Amino acid sequence: MTKKITVKQYVYWQKCKYTGHEKFGATEYDFRLLREEHRYGMVFVKEIQTTFEVPDDFNPVPQQIADLEAIKTKASADFYARVTEIDRQIQSLMAIEHVEPSP
């Protein structure tokens, strides 16, 4: 069995200020309520309703766990890359020969 979900969305048009690329998109929040500087040039087009089906037994937990595992893996890799860079800098400093100036 499935259940129907209906979501209100706000369609917008936006032009990238760097590339000039134009795009349409949709979001669940009414961005018109935001201050202008937080709209990023989004122009309201229309409000729509999107309906889709979800299994009755839908469980988001496995995907949430997978997402967190991926974040953890990346954080660990970033950490070890930074530690390796710090170790390299330490070794480089230790390799510098200190010579006392002559009196």
Side-chain angles (χ1 to χ4, degrees):
M1 297 291 295
T2 62
K3 58 184 171 185
K4 287 190 178 202
I5 305 293
T6 300
V7 177
K8 182 191 306 185
Q9 293 186 310
Y10 301 88
V11 177
Y12 64 89
W13 171 90
Q14 186 177 40
K15 184 174 185 176
C16 178
K17 67 180 181 179
Y18 302 109
T19 66
H21 175 75
E22 298 181 23
K23 73 172 188 172
F24 287 91
T27 180
E28 286 187 53
Y29 64 91
D30 188 351
F31 60 88
R32 296 172 294 174
L33 302 175
L34 298 173
R35 295 194 319 246
E36 182 60 38
E37 62 267 21
H38 297 292
R39 291 187 202 165
Y40 303 104
M42 295 165 70
V43 176
F44 177 76
V45 176
K46 68 185 286 186
E47 189 175 306
I48 61 172
Q49 298 280 332
T50 303
T51 302
F52 53 92
E53 293 184 358
V54 176
D56 284 336
D57 62 349
F58 175 71
N59 180 1
V61 173
Q63 185 59 51
Q64 289 173 310
I65 291 171
D67 292 347
L68 288 170
E69 289 289 349
I71 292 168
K72 182 174 81 171
T73 298
K74 181 172 180 348
S76 180
D78 291 347
F79 171 77
Y80 286 111
R82 182 68 178 128
V83 168
T84 300
E85 174 58 22
I86 291 169
D87 284 342
R88 186 199 62 74
Q89 291 175 5
I90 290 169
Q91 292 301 317
S92 178
L93 289 170
M94 291 173 63
I96 296 173
E97 183 179 337
H98 179 71
V99 178
E100 289 290 325
S102 301

